[in-house]
Amino acid sequence: MTDEIRKTYLQAAEKAVHLLATEQVHRRWETESVLPGMSVGGLAGHLARSVLQVEWFLDGQVVGAEPVSPVRYYARLADTSLPDSALNVGVRARSEETAAAGPTVVAEQARAAWVRLTQRLGTESADRRVAVLHRP
């Protein structure tokens, strides 16, 4: 099951990498996206982070934290439907921060991370704990 999940993730990440590299995304980087308060670049930054964060998680140090299952992690997220919740404001801010590097850099960072992950995920233990980090 773990290999199938990893393969599916890598396929989705590959699609994200290809989308981030398109001329359509690059041309519209500074314009408003379909999500209010978020530029196309910010939305692309959010998508790129779905690839970039995996390495951050794998490289992060787990120190004395009690393990949290994925179900419990997502279940405890509150106010996700409120655009001005702390969670959503933070997501937009981190996404725009990533986008600030520009479309070419963001696309290349995501592509490079995906290439590394295609090799790395096959060597990671299925029961390995990771630290959830928003930034390295």
Side-chain angles (χ1 to χ4, degrees):
M1 180 67 150
T2 300
D3 288 340
E4 187 174 320
I5 291 169
R6 291 174 185 190
K7 180 180 175 185
T8 301
Y9 167 77
L10 288 169
Q11 288 171 340
E14 181 181 21
K15 298 288 185 195
V17 165
H18 287 299
L19 180 61
L20 290 166
T22 64
E23 183 60 33
Q24 297 93 324
V25 170
H26 288 221
R27 272 197 320 266
R28 293 176 178 85
W29 198 260
E30 300 294 329
T31 63
E32 183 81 9
S33 76
V34 296
L35 296 177
M38 208 169 194
S39 69
V40 169
L43 194 53
H46 184 62
L47 179 61
R49 291 174 68 81
S50 70
V51 180
L52 300 170
Q53 287 184 139
V54 174
E55 285 188 310
W56 302 342
F57 294 172
L58 292 171
D59 292 341
Q61 189 174 21
V62 178
V63 180
E66 188 64 32
V68 176
S69 73
V71 171
R72 206 165 116 223
Y73 174 83
Y74 285 104
R76 68 184 183 185
L77 298 178
D79 300 326
T80 58
S81 64
L82 302 173
D84 292 330
S85 70
L87 174 77
N88 288 323
V89 168
V91 165
R92 287 193 302 275
R94 288 186 297 275
S95 299
E96 293 290 347
E97 179 182 295
T98 299
T104 302
V105 171
V106 171
E108 178 51 32
Q109 287 174 340
R111 188 199 66 75
W114 171 74
V115 167
R116 290 187 299 270
L117 287 168
T118 61
Q119 299 301 310
R120 183 173 182 180
L121 288 181
T123 66
E124 294 291 342
S125 171
D127 63 350
R128 171 145 184 255
R129 290 177 54 199
V130 296
V132 177
L133 306 167
H134 292 298
R135 291 179 191 84

